């Protein structure tokens, strides 16, 4: 089995989860598990019109690729896809997709969980809330519970 090349995409457009699943699993018949995480934009109890997501093109992809390389050294995967959107994302729309494929489920679960903790805490994306009132709430800060979730990986 050859080395896994992670698919990393940062894009404005929405993505098709089924198509990405097919692309991630197309070249291997030794996949026993695929863990899929898709993050959606919430409406924050009806107050949010859109979430604005910004990034530095090139830098975001390079940083995610660096972390994906770490993931592939920690867990044996047969496929890995990471897609993150930027621009204005409305409630109910996709923001992020992580697909981790492996021979056995544990590696796929751990890799997907680690990547989502990384993307929520450290990845170079900035989010601003646009309210239905027309106001901007400002840049979203990382939540303490998300920081704590990410810290657990440092001891493993």
């Amino acid at each position: 089995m050859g080395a896994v090349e992670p698919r990393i995409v940062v894009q404005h457009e929405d993505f098709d989860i089924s198509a990405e699943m097919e692309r991630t699993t197309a070249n291997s018949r030794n996949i026993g598990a695929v863990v899929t995480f898709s993050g959606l934009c919430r409406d924050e109890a009806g107050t949010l019109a859109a979430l604005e997501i910004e990034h530095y093109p090139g830098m975001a992809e390079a940083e995610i690729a660096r972390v994906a390389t770490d993931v592939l050294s920690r867990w044996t995967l047969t496929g890995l896809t990471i897609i993150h959107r930027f621009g204005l994302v409305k409630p109910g729309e996709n923001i992020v997709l992580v697909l981790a494929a492996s021979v056995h489920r544990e590696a796929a679960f751990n890799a997907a969980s680690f990547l989502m903790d990384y993307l929520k805490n450290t990845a170079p994306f900035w989010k601003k809330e646009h309210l239905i009132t027309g106001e901007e709430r400002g840049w979203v800060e990382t939540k303490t519970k998300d920081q704590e979730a990410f810290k657990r990986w440092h001891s493993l």
Side-chain angles (χ1 to χ4, degrees):
M1 179 170 62
V4 173
E5 270 303 311
R7 175 170 151 74
I8 298 165
V9 181
V10 177
Q11 65 187 34
H12 183 268
E13 306 81 28
D14 197 3
F15 48 83
D16 180 327
I17 296 170
S18 294
E20 294 300 332
M21 172 85 129
E22 188 174 318
R23 182 188 324 242
T24 301
T25 60
N27 295 321
S28 178
R29 296 292 170 242
N30 196 31
I31 295 172
V34 178
V35 171
T36 305
F37 179 89
S38 58
L40 307 174
C41 181
R42 294 183 300 270
D43 72 358
E44 298 297 343
T47 63
L48 191 71
L51 186 64
E52 180 180 353
I53 303 170
E54 292 188 6
H55 75 297
Y56 288 119
M59 181 184 119
E61 293 88 344
E63 177 60 15
I64 294 168
R66 183 188 66 75
V67 172
T69 298
D70 179 47
V71 165
L72 292 168
S73 72
R74 292 175 81 165
W75 295 286
T76 303
L77 301 180
T78 53
L80 180 61
T81 297
I82 304 163
I83 301 175
H84 203 296
R85 291 185 59 200
F86 66 89
L88 287 177
V89 179
K90 294 180 180 174
E93 292 182 345
N94 293 311
I95 297 173
V96 63
L97 176 66
V98 172
L99 292 166
S102 63
V103 175
H104 301 286
R105 70 181 183 273
E106 185 176 12
F109 273 117
N110 286 334
S113 184
F114 173 87
L115 282 164
M116 281 312 306
D117 286 341
Y118 157 73
L119 289 167
K120 287 286 290 180
N121 285 281
T122 309
F125 293 98
W126 298 271
K127 299 171 185 165
K128 185 188 295 182
E129 295 178 322
H130 294 266
L131 306 179
I132 59 169
T133 61
E135 299 172 81
E136 291 181 1
R137 189 175 285 162
W139 298 105
V140 177
E141 296 289 327
T142 304
K143 295 177 178 79
T144 303
K145 69 177 185 152
D146 291 331
Q147 292 171 341
E148 292 300 319
F150 190 52
K151 284 180 187 175
R152 72 186 162 114
W153 296 106
H154 299 295
S155 63
L156 297 178

